[in-house]
Amino acid sequence: MMETMFPFTAALLAAMLHVITGPDHLAAVVPFAVESKRKAWKIGLSWGIGHLVGMLSIGLLFMVFKELIPVEQISDYSEQLVGFVLIGIGVWAFYNIYKRQNKHAHLHVHSEKAPVIHRHTHDHGQEITHAHHHSPQLKQSHWASFSVGFLHGLAGIAHFLLFLPVLSFEKQTEAFSYVIGFGVGIVLAMTVFAFVIGTVASLSKNGHNDVFFKGIRLAGGLFAIVIGVYWILSA
């Protein structure tokens, strides 16, 4: 039991540090998490899974098709693309802040599928009642977060350094335990981070502290753009 727990724990800590100490990782998730608020943990979960899939994909390409496919070039191009994507996320965050909102908001009840009480903006016009449909923005954010995480996983051959300990294990169970721990660490770290950011955003929004909420959104967008520009110039 101890033989498998040590590789799992070591990989778990290494993966969590890998995620949290990467400013490009955090910059990619913050704007989505802020907009999603209480469901932000799902954004982090999607990014973590995407990142893990991307790392495993580039690893398989490197091991199987090392001589046939220019894996290093794919990684380099992915790094540059990550920078442009981060800038795009930042611009999207600014758009959400400053887009025109000539609407008002209040609590109301839906009975389309199940009664739901919530708050969002809409136009009444001259009508006493109104009808509208909710856009699947959160699902789109999940896919976008997964895609960015996958792209991050493809970027950087340095990811292989984190898997080098696997080669030192004598038993396959230890190597397998390390890989599982690494995957859990990536997903757990970003899920918790997104949850914290979303909780702060939700508390500020529900507390009617619009200035603070807008400041969080602004900081998240600016953070993504700055890291994106740096990523492009350093790639």
Side-chain angles (χ1 to χ4, degrees):
M1 186 66 179
M2 291 298 296
E3 292 181 354
T4 56
M5 283 304 298
F6 176 74
F8 179 88
T9 304
L12 182 72
L13 295 176
M16 294 178 70
L17 288 174
H18 166 68
V19 171
I20 299 300
T21 57
D24 54 309
H25 301 159
L26 308 183
V29 171
V30 168
F32 292 129
V34 170
E35 295 298 329
S36 298
K37 294 181 278 297
R38 288 195 177 276
K39 295 183 179 180
W41 67 270
K42 295 182 179 180
I43 296 296
L45 178 65
S46 299
W47 186 96
I49 294 175
H51 189 62
L52 184 60
V53 172
M55 290 180 63
L56 293 177
S57 298
I58 195 68
L60 289 175
L61 285 176
F62 185 79
M63 289 187 297
V64 179
F65 302 105
K66 182 179 180 181
E67 304 298 333
L68 300 177
I69 298 178
V71 178
E72 293 186 4
Q73 291 185 12
I74 293 177
S75 179
D76 292 339
Y77 288 136
S78 297
E79 289 182 1
Q80 294 180 352
L81 186 56
V82 164
F84 287 108
V85 169
L86 288 176
I87 294 175
I89 292 174
V91 172
W92 170 80
F94 285 152
Y95 170 77
N96 282 337
I97 296 173
Y98 295 108
K99 66 181 179 181
R100 296 179 179 178
Q101 294 184 354
N102 297 322
K103 304 177 182 180
H104 70 278
H106 62 77
L107 293 173
H108 60 280
V109 181
H110 282 276
S111 58
E112 298 164 353
K113 294 183 179 179
V116 177
I117 301 177
H118 67 149
R119 181 181 186 271
H120 65 83
T121 59
H122 61 273
D123 285 323
H124 277 290
Q126 300 298 323
E127 299 179 1
I128 298 177
T129 61
H130 74 277
H132 58 270
H133 299 282
H134 292 272
S135 62
Q137 182 178 2
L138 187 58
K139 291 183 179 179
Q140 294 174 1
S141 296
H142 287 170
W143 173 246
S145 183
F146 175 87
S147 301
V148 175
F150 178 80
L151 188 61
H152 267 109
L154 294 179
I157 298 296
H159 287 156
F160 293 135
L161 297 176
L162 298 172
F163 282 111
L164 286 180
V166 174
L167 302 177
S168 64
F169 295 125
E170 297 179 356
K171 299 180 180 179
Q172 291 184 352
T173 55
E174 294 177 344
F176 183 74
S177 177
Y178 184 91
V179 173
I180 295 299
F182 193 86
V184 172
I186 287 178
V187 175
L188 180 63
M190 190 53 77
T191 301
V192 172
F193 173 76
F195 172 77
V196 172
I197 296 297
T199 300
V200 173
S202 181
L203 290 175
S204 63
K205 181 65 175 179
N206 294 337
H208 303 289
N209 194 340
D210 292 334
V211 175
F212 183 64
F213 180 63
K214 186 176 180 179
I216 296 176
R217 301 168 78 189
L218 181 65
L222 184 61
F223 183 39
I225 292 176
V226 170
I227 297 300
V229 172
Y230 173 80
W231 200 257
I232 293 173
L233 296 179
S234 61

mmCIF file with all atom_site columns, all heavy atoms in Angstrom, residues 46-67:
data_model
loop_
_atom_site.group_PDB
_atom_site.id
_atom_site.type_symbol
_atom_site.label_atom_id
_atom_site.label_alt_id
_atom_site.label_comp_id
_atom_site.label_asym_id
_atom_site.label_entity_id
_atom_site.label_seq_id
_atom_site.pdbx_PDB_ins_code
_atom_site.Cartn_x
_atom_site.Cartn_y
_atom_site.Cartn_z
_atom_site.occupancy
_atom_site.B_iso_or_equiv
_atom_site.pdbx_formal_charge
_atom_site.auth_seq_id
_atom_site.auth_comp_id
_atom_site.auth_asym_id
_atom_site.auth_atom_id
_atom_site.pdbx_PDB_model_num
ATOM 1   N N   . SER A 1 46 ? -13.471 21.188 -16.456 1.00 0.00 ? 46 SER A N   1
ATOM 2   C CA  . SER A 1 46 ? -13.340 21.028 -17.905 1.00 0.00 ? 46 SER A CA  1
ATOM 3   C C   . SER A 1 46 ? -11.926 21.346 -18.365 1.00 0.00 ? 46 SER A C   1
ATOM 4   O O   . SER A 1 46 ? -11.355 20.628 -19.196 1.00 0.00 ? 46 SER A O   1
ATOM 5   C CB  . SER A 1 46 ? -14.344 21.942 -18.623 1.00 0.00 ? 46 SER A CB  1
ATOM 6   O OG  . SER A 1 46 ? -15.671 21.608 -18.275 1.00 0.00 ? 46 SER A OG  1
ATOM 7   N N   . TRP A 1 47 ? -11.350 22.433 -17.815 1.00 0.00 ? 47 TRP A N   1
ATOM 8   C CA  . TRP A 1 47 ? -9.985  22.795 -18.196 1.00 0.00 ? 47 TRP A CA  1
ATOM 9   C C   . TRP A 1 47 ? -9.012  21.707 -17.773 1.00 0.00 ? 47 TRP A C   1
ATOM 10  O O   . TRP A 1 47 ? -8.116  21.335 -18.533 1.00 0.00 ? 47 TRP A O   1
ATOM 11  C CB  . TRP A 1 47 ? -9.584  24.119 -17.546 1.00 0.00 ? 47 TRP A CB  1
ATOM 12  C CG  . TRP A 1 47 ? -8.255  24.621 -18.017 1.00 0.00 ? 47 TRP A CG  1
ATOM 13  C CD1 . TRP A 1 47 ? -8.018  25.527 -19.012 1.00 0.00 ? 47 TRP A CD1 1
ATOM 14  C CD2 . TRP A 1 47 ? -6.957  24.238 -17.510 1.00 0.00 ? 47 TRP A CD2 1
ATOM 15  N NE1 . TRP A 1 47 ? -6.668  25.728 -19.151 1.00 0.00 ? 47 TRP A NE1 1
ATOM 16  C CE2 . TRP A 1 47 ? -5.992  24.952 -18.252 1.00 0.00 ? 47 TRP A CE2 1
ATOM 17  C CE3 . TRP A 1 47 ? -6.533  23.378 -16.512 1.00 0.00 ? 47 TRP A CE3 1
ATOM 18  C CZ2 . TRP A 1 47 ? -4.633  24.816 -18.016 1.00 0.00 ? 47 TRP A CZ2 1
ATOM 19  C CZ3 . TRP A 1 47 ? -5.183  23.235 -16.282 1.00 0.00 ? 47 TRP A CZ3 1
ATOM 20  C CH2 . TRP A 1 47 ? -4.236  23.945 -17.029 1.00 0.00 ? 47 TRP A CH2 1
ATOM 21  N N   . GLY A 1 48 ? -9.164  21.203 -16.558 1.00 0.00 ? 48 GLY A N   1
ATOM 22  C CA  . GLY A 1 48 ? -8.250  20.180 -16.059 1.00 0.00 ? 48 GLY A CA  1
ATOM 23  C C   . GLY A 1 48 ? -8.289  18.916 -16.910 1.00 0.00 ? 48 GLY A C   1
ATOM 24  O O   . GLY A 1 48 ? -7.243  18.344 -17.242 1.00 0.00 ? 48 GLY A O   1
ATOM 25  N N   . ILE A 1 49 ? -9.489  18.485 -17.270 1.00 0.00 ? 49 ILE A N   1
ATOM 26  C CA  . ILE A 1 49 ? -9.614  17.293 -18.112 1.00 0.00 ? 49 ILE A CA  1
ATOM 27  C C   . ILE A 1 49 ? -8.999  17.546 -19.480 1.00 0.00 ? 49 ILE A C   1
ATOM 28  O O   . ILE A 1 49 ? -8.284  16.696 -20.029 1.00 0.00 ? 49 ILE A O   1
ATOM 29  C CB  . ILE A 1 49 ? -11.093 16.887 -18.243 1.00 0.00 ? 49 ILE A CB  1
ATOM 30  C CG1 . ILE A 1 49 ? -11.640 16.442 -16.882 1.00 0.00 ? 49 ILE A CG1 1
ATOM 31  C CG2 . ILE A 1 49 ? -11.258 15.765 -19.274 1.00 0.00 ? 49 ILE A CG2 1
ATOM 32  C CD1 . ILE A 1 49 ? -13.123 16.144 -16.884 1.00 0.00 ? 49 ILE A CD1 1
ATOM 33  N N   . GLY A 1 50 ? -9.281  18.722 -20.042 1.00 0.00 ? 50 GLY A N   1
ATOM 34  C CA  . GLY A 1 50 ? -8.711  19.058 -21.350 1.00 0.00 ? 50 GLY A CA  1
ATOM 35  C C   . GLY A 1 50 ? -7.196  19.104 -21.315 1.00 0.00 ? 50 GLY A C   1
ATOM 36  O O   . GLY A 1 50 ? -6.521  18.635 -22.242 1.00 0.00 ? 50 GLY A O   1
ATOM 37  N N   . HIS A 1 51 ? -6.653  19.675 -20.237 1.00 0.00 ? 51 HIS A N   1
ATOM 38  C CA  . HIS A 1 51 ? -5.199  19.776 -20.103 1.00 0.00 ? 51 HIS A CA  1
ATOM 39  C C   . HIS A 1 51 ? -4.564  18.391 -20.011 1.00 0.00 ? 51 HIS A C   1
ATOM 40  O O   . HIS A 1 51 ? -3.528  18.130 -20.637 1.00 0.00 ? 51 HIS A O   1
ATOM 41  C CB  . HIS A 1 51 ? -4.858  20.578 -18.846 1.00 0.00 ? 51 HIS A CB  1
ATOM 42  C CG  . HIS A 1 51 ? -3.405  20.927 -18.717 1.00 0.00 ? 51 HIS A CG  1
ATOM 43  N ND1 . HIS A 1 51 ? -2.748  21.706 -19.636 1.00 0.00 ? 51 HIS A ND1 1
ATOM 44  C CD2 . HIS A 1 51 ? -2.482  20.597 -17.781 1.00 0.00 ? 51 HIS A CD2 1
ATOM 45  C CE1 . HIS A 1 51 ? -1.483  21.854 -19.270 1.00 0.00 ? 51 HIS A CE1 1
ATOM 46  N NE2 . HIS A 1 51 ? -1.298  21.179 -18.147 1.00 0.00 ? 51 HIS A NE2 1
ATOM 47  N N   . LEU A 1 52 ? -5.183  17.525 -19.258 1.00 0.00 ? 52 LEU A N   1
ATOM 48  C CA  . LEU A 1 52 ? -4.676  16.170 -19.110 1.00 0.00 ? 52 LEU A CA  1
ATOM 49  C C   . LEU A 1 52 ? -4.733  15.417 -20.438 1.00 0.00 ? 52 LEU A C   1
ATOM 50  O O   . LEU A 1 52 ? -3.775  14.724 -20.813 1.00 0.00 ? 52 LEU A O   1
ATOM 51  C CB  . LEU A 1 52 ? -5.489  15.428 -18.048 1.00 0.00 ? 52 LEU A CB  1
ATOM 52  C CG  . LEU A 1 52 ? -5.031  14.010 -17.706 1.00 0.00 ? 52 LEU A CG  1
ATOM 53  C CD1 . LEU A 1 52 ? -3.607  14.020 -17.175 1.00 0.00 ? 52 LEU A CD1 1
ATOM 54  C CD2 . LEU A 1 52 ? -5.985  13.380 -16.692 1.00 0.00 ? 52 LEU A CD2 1
ATOM 55  N N   . VAL A 1 53 ? -5.841  15.549 -21.153 1.00 0.00 ? 53 VAL A N   1
ATOM 56  C CA  . VAL A 1 53 ? -5.978  14.890 -22.460 1.00 0.00 ? 53 VAL A CA  1
ATOM 57  C C   . VAL A 1 53 ? -4.936  15.414 -23.442 1.00 0.00 ? 53 VAL A C   1
ATOM 58  O O   . VAL A 1 53 ? -4.339  14.652 -24.212 1.00 0.00 ? 53 VAL A O   1
ATOM 59  C CB  . VAL A 1 53 ? -7.402  15.093 -23.022 1.00 0.00 ? 53 VAL A CB  1
ATOM 60  C CG1 . VAL A 1 53 ? -7.497  14.585 -24.458 1.00 0.00 ? 53 VAL A CG1 1
ATOM 61  C CG2 . VAL A 1 53 ? -8.424  14.372 -22.154 1.00 0.00 ? 53 VAL A CG2 1
ATOM 62  N N   . GLY A 1 54 ? -4.701  16.727 -23.410 1.00 0.00 ? 54 GLY A N   1
ATOM 63  C CA  . GLY A 1 54 ? -3.698  17.314 -24.301 1.00 0.00 ? 54 GLY A CA  1
ATOM 64  C C   . GLY A 1 54 ? -2.297  16.803 -24.014 1.00 0.00 ? 54 GLY A C   1
ATOM 65  O O   . GLY A 1 54 ? -1.536  16.481 -24.929 1.00 0.00 ? 54 GLY A O   1
ATOM 66  N N   . MET A 1 55 ? -1.949  16.721 -22.722 1.00 0.00 ? 55 MET A N   1
ATOM 67  C CA  . MET A 1 55 ? -0.625  16.228 -22.340 1.00 0.00 ? 55 MET A CA  1
ATOM 68  C C   . MET A 1 55 ? -0.436  14.766 -22.750 1.00 0.00 ? 55 MET A C   1
ATOM 69  O O   . MET A 1 55 ? 0.617   14.381 -23.269 1.00 0.00 ? 55 MET A O   1
ATOM 70  C CB  . MET A 1 55 ? -0.431  16.375 -20.834 1.00 0.00 ? 55 MET A CB  1
ATOM 71  C CG  . MET A 1 55 ? -0.288  17.807 -20.362 1.00 0.00 ? 55 MET A CG  1
ATOM 72  S SD  . MET A 1 55 ? -0.052  17.923 -18.567 1.00 0.00 ? 55 MET A SD  1
ATOM 73  C CE  . MET A 1 55 ? 1.507   17.064 -18.365 1.00 0.00 ? 55 MET A CE  1
ATOM 74  N N   . LEU A 1 56 ? -1.461  13.967 -22.532 1.00 0.00 ? 56 LEU A N   1
ATOM 75  C CA  . LEU A 1 56 ? -1.366  12.557 -22.912 1.00 0.00 ? 56 LEU A CA  1
ATOM 76  C C   . LEU A 1 56 ? -1.290  12.403 -24.427 1.00 0.00 ? 56 LEU A C   1
ATOM 77  O O   . LEU A 1 56 ? -0.581  11.527 -24.943 1.00 0.00 ? 56 LEU A O   1
ATOM 78  C CB  . LEU A 1 56 ? -2.576  11.791 -22.364 1.00 0.00 ? 56 LEU A CB  1
ATOM 79  C CG  . LEU A 1 56 ? -2.660  11.674 -20.843 1.00 0.00 ? 56 LEU A CG  1
ATOM 80  C CD1 . LEU A 1 56 ? -3.944  10.964 -20.425 1.00 0.00 ? 56 LEU A CD1 1
ATOM 81  C CD2 . LEU A 1 56 ? -1.447  10.928 -20.290 1.00 0.00 ? 56 LEU A CD2 1
ATOM 82  N N   . SER A 1 57 ? -1.992  13.268 -25.147 1.00 0.00 ? 57 SER A N   1
ATOM 83  C CA  . SER A 1 57 ? -1.993  13.193 -26.614 1.00 0.00 ? 57 SER A CA  1
ATOM 84  C C   . SER A 1 57 ? -0.616  13.522 -27.185 1.00 0.00 ? 57 SER A C   1
ATOM 85  O O   . SER A 1 57 ? -0.101  12.788 -28.043 1.00 0.00 ? 57 SER A O   1
ATOM 86  C CB  . SER A 1 57 ? -3.037  14.160 -27.193 1.00 0.00 ? 57 SER A CB  1
ATOM 87  O OG  . SER A 1 57 ? -4.338  13.825 -26.767 1.00 0.00 ? 57 SER A OG  1
ATOM 88  N N   . ILE A 1 58 ? -0.011  14.610 -26.719 1.00 0.00 ? 58 ILE A N   1
ATOM 89  C CA  . ILE A 1 58 ? 1.312   14.979 -27.227 1.00 0.00 ? 58 ILE A CA  1
ATOM 90  C C   . ILE A 1 58 ? 2.353   13.962 -26.783 1.00 0.00 ? 58 ILE A C   1
ATOM 91  O O   . ILE A 1 58 ? 3.326   13.685 -27.504 1.00 0.00 ? 58 ILE A O   1
ATOM 92  C CB  . ILE A 1 58 ? 1.703   16.401 -26.759 1.00 0.00 ? 58 ILE A CB  1
ATOM 93  C CG1 . ILE A 1 58 ? 2.882   16.947 -27.576 1.00 0.00 ? 58 ILE A CG1 1
ATOM 94  C CG2 . ILE A 1 58 ? 2.011   16.439 -25.288 1.00 0.00 ? 58 ILE A CG2 1
ATOM 95  C CD1 . ILE A 1 58 ? 2.550   17.241 -29.013 1.00 0.00 ? 58 ILE A CD1 1
ATOM 96  N N   . GLY A 1 59 ? 2.134   13.357 -25.609 1.00 0.00 ? 59 GLY A N   1
ATOM 97  C CA  . GLY A 1 59 ? 3.047   12.319 -25.137 1.00 0.00 ? 59 GLY A CA  1
ATOM 98  C C   . GLY A 1 59 ? 2.990   11.083 -26.012 1.00 0.00 ? 59 GLY A C   1
ATOM 99  O O   . GLY A 1 59 ? 4.028   10.504 -26.370 1.00 0.00 ? 59 GLY A O   1
ATOM 100 N N   . LEU A 1 60 ? 1.783   10.666 -26.403 1.00 0.00 ? 60 LEU A N   1
ATOM 101 C CA  . LEU A 1 60 ? 1.626   9.506  -27.274 1.00 0.00 ? 60 LEU A CA  1
ATOM 102 C C   . LEU A 1 60 ? 2.217   9.774  -28.653 1.00 0.00 ? 60 LEU A C   1
ATOM 103 O O   . LEU A 1 60 ? 2.860   8.901  -29.253 1.00 0.00 ? 60 LEU A O   1
ATOM 104 C CB  . LEU A 1 60 ? 0.146   9.139  -27.376 1.00 0.00 ? 60 LEU A CB  1
ATOM 105 C CG  . LEU A 1 60 ? -0.495  8.519  -26.139 1.00 0.00 ? 60 LEU A CG  1
ATOM 106 C CD1 . LEU A 1 60 ? -1.994  8.317  -26.347 1.00 0.00 ? 60 LEU A CD1 1
ATOM 107 C CD2 . LEU A 1 60 ? 0.176   7.186  -25.801 1.00 0.00 ? 60 LEU A CD2 1
ATOM 108 N N   . LEU A 1 61 ? 1.990   10.985 -29.161 1.00 0.00 ? 61 LEU A N   1
ATOM 109 C CA  . LEU A 1 61 ? 2.569   11.348 -30.457 1.00 0.00 ? 61 LEU A CA  1
ATOM 110 C C   . LEU A 1 61 ? 4.089   11.275 -30.414 1.00 0.00 ? 61 LEU A C   1
ATOM 111 O O   . LEU A 1 61 ? 4.738   10.804 -31.350 1.00 0.00 ? 61 LEU A O   1
ATOM 112 C CB  . LEU A 1 61 ? 2.122   12.759 -30.856 1.00 0.00 ? 61 LEU A CB  1
ATOM 113 C CG  . LEU A 1 61 ? 0.688   12.933 -31.344 1.00 0.00 ? 61 LEU A CG  1
ATOM 114 C CD1 . LEU A 1 61 ? 0.390   14.406 -31.590 1.00 0.00 ? 61 LEU A CD1 1
ATOM 115 C CD2 . LEU A 1 61 ? 0.447   12.133 -32.619 1.00 0.00 ? 61 LEU A CD2 1
ATOM 116 N N   . PHE A 1 62 ? 4.642   11.759 -29.314 1.00 0.00 ? 62 PHE A N   1
ATOM 117 C CA  . PHE A 1 62 ? 6.091   11.791 -29.170 1.00 0.00 ? 62 PHE A CA  1
ATOM 118 C C   . PHE A 1 62 ? 6.674   10.377 -29.101 1.00 0.00 ? 62 PHE A C   1
ATOM 119 O O   . PHE A 1 62 ? 7.715   10.089 -29.701 1.00 0.00 ? 62 PHE A O   1
ATOM 120 C CB  . PHE A 1 62 ? 6.481   12.576 -27.912 1.00 0.00 ? 62 PHE A CB  1
ATOM 121 C CG  . PHE A 1 62 ? 7.957   12.759 -27.747 1.00 0.00 ? 62 PHE A CG  1
ATOM 122 C CD1 . PHE A 1 62 ? 8.634   13.728 -28.460 1.00 0.00 ? 62 PHE A CD1 1
ATOM 123 C CD2 . PHE A 1 62 ? 8.675   11.951 -26.867 1.00 0.00 ? 62 PHE A CD2 1
ATOM 124 C CE1 . PHE A 1 62 ? 10.005  13.905 -28.309 1.00 0.00 ? 62 PHE A CE1 1
ATOM 125 C CE2 . PHE A 1 62 ? 10.039  12.112 -26.706 1.00 0.00 ? 62 PHE A CE2 1
ATOM 126 C CZ  . PHE A 1 62 ? 10.707  13.087 -27.431 1.00 0.00 ? 62 PHE A CZ  1
ATOM 127 N N   . MET A 1 63 ? 5.994   9.495  -28.378 1.00 0.00 ? 63 MET A N   1
ATOM 128 C CA  . MET A 1 63 ? 6.516   8.142  -28.199 1.00 0.00 ? 63 MET A CA  1
ATOM 129 C C   . MET A 1 63 ? 6.320   7.268  -29.434 1.00 0.00 ? 63 MET A C   1
ATOM 130 O O   . MET A 1 63 ? 7.187   6.487  -29.805 1.00 0.00 ? 63 MET A O   1
ATOM 131 C CB  . MET A 1 63 ? 5.845   7.480  -26.982 1.00 0.00 ? 63 MET A CB  1
ATOM 132 C CG  . MET A 1 63 ? 6.281   8.062  -25.653 1.00 0.00 ? 63 MET A CG  1
ATOM 133 S SD  . MET A 1 63 ? 5.624   7.133  -24.228 1.00 0.00 ? 63 MET A SD  1
ATOM 134 C CE  . MET A 1 63 ? 3.861   7.377  -24.461 1.00 0.00 ? 63 MET A CE  1
ATOM 135 N N   . VAL A 1 64 ? 5.177   7.406  -30.101 1.00 0.00 ? 64 VAL A N   1
ATOM 136 C CA  . VAL A 1 64 ? 4.840   6.510  -31.206 1.00 0.00 ? 64 VAL A CA  1
ATOM 137 C C   . VAL A 1 64 ? 5.353   7.022  -32.549 1.00 0.00 ? 64 VAL A C   1
ATOM 138 O O   . VAL A 1 64 ? 5.856   6.249  -33.375 1.00 0.00 ? 64 VAL A O   1
ATOM 139 C CB  . VAL A 1 64 ? 3.314   6.288  -31.265 1.00 0.00 ? 64 VAL A CB  1
ATOM 140 C CG1 . VAL A 1 64 ? 2.948   5.378  -32.437 1.00 0.00 ? 64 VAL A CG1 1
ATOM 141 C CG2 . VAL A 1 64 ? 2.814   5.696  -29.960 1.00 0.00 ? 64 VAL A CG2 1
ATOM 142 N N   . PHE A 1 65 ? 5.224   8.338  -32.769 1.00 0.00 ? 65 PHE A N   1
ATOM 143 C CA  . PHE A 1 65 ? 5.562   8.891  -34.084 1.00 0.00 ? 65 PHE A CA  1
ATOM 144 C C   . PHE A 1 65 ? 6.699   9.903  -34.003 1.00 0.00 ? 65 PHE A C   1
ATOM 145 O O   . PHE A 1 65 ? 6.702   10.903 -34.725 1.00 0.00 ? 65 PHE A O   1
ATOM 146 C CB  . PHE A 1 65 ? 4.332   9.562  -34.708 1.00 0.00 ? 65 PHE A CB  1
ATOM 147 C CG  . PHE A 1 65 ? 3.160   8.649  -34.866 1.00 0.00 ? 65 PHE A CG  1
ATOM 148 C CD1 . PHE A 1 65 ? 2.071   8.759  -34.009 1.00 0.00 ? 65 PHE A CD1 1
ATOM 149 C CD2 . PHE A 1 65 ? 3.145   7.685  -35.857 1.00 0.00 ? 65 PHE A CD2 1
ATOM 150 C CE1 . PHE A 1 65 ? 0.978   7.929  -34.145 1.00 0.00 ? 65 PHE A CE1 1
ATOM 151 C CE2 . PHE A 1 65 ? 2.048   6.844  -36.002 1.00 0.00 ? 65 PHE A CE2 1
ATOM 152 C CZ  . PHE A 1 65 ? 0.970   6.959  -35.148 1.00 0.00 ? 65 PHE A CZ  1
ATOM 153 N N   . LYS A 1 66 ? 7.633   9.673  -33.113 1.00 0.00 ? 66 LYS A N   1
ATOM 154 C CA  . LYS A 1 66 ? 8.718   10.630 -32.886 1.00 0.00 ? 66 LYS A CA  1
ATOM 155 C C   . LYS A 1 66 ? 9.487   10.945 -34.161 1.00 0.00 ? 66 LYS A C   1
ATOM 156 O O   . LYS A 1 66 ? 9.876   12.093 -34.400 1.00 0.00 ? 66 LYS A O   1
ATOM 157 C CB  . LYS A 1 66 ? 9.669   10.093 -31.822 1.00 0.00 ? 66 LYS A CB  1
ATOM 158 C CG  . LYS A 1 66 ? 10.811  11.041 -31.482 1.00 0.00 ? 66 LYS A CG  1
ATOM 159 C CD  . LYS A 1 66 ? 11.696  10.462 -30.397 1.00 0.00 ? 66 LYS A CD  1
ATOM 160 C CE  . LYS A 1 66 ? 12.833  11.410 -30.056 1.00 0.00 ? 66 LYS A CE  1
ATOM 161 N NZ  . LYS A 1 66 ? 13.726  10.843 -29.003 1.00 0.00 ? 66 LYS A NZ  1
ATOM 162 N N   . GLU A 1 67 ? 9.724   9.941  -34.996 1.00 0.00 ? 67 GLU A N   1
ATOM 163 C CA  . GLU A 1 67 ? 10.523  10.130 -36.202 1.00 0.00 ? 67 GLU A CA  1
ATOM 164 C C   . GLU A 1 67 ? 9.692   10.602 -37.391 1.00 0.00 ? 67 GLU A C   1
ATOM 165 O O   . GLU A 1 67 ? 10.239  11.071 -38.386 1.00 0.00 ? 67 GLU A O   1
ATOM 166 C CB  . GLU A 1 67 ? 11.223  8.811  -36.570 1.00 0.00 ? 67 GLU A CB  1
ATOM 167 C CG  . GLU A 1 67 ? 12.090  8.249  -35.450 1.00 0.00 ? 67 GLU A CG  1
ATOM 168 C CD  . GLU A 1 67 ? 13.232  9.181  -35.079 1.00 0.00 ? 67 GLU A CD  1
ATOM 169 O OE1 . GLU A 1 67 ? 13.668  9.954  -35.957 1.00 0.00 ? 67 GLU A OE1 1
ATOM 170 O OE2 . GLU A 1 67 ? 13.683  9.141  -33.913 1.00 0.00 ? 67 GLU A OE2 1
#
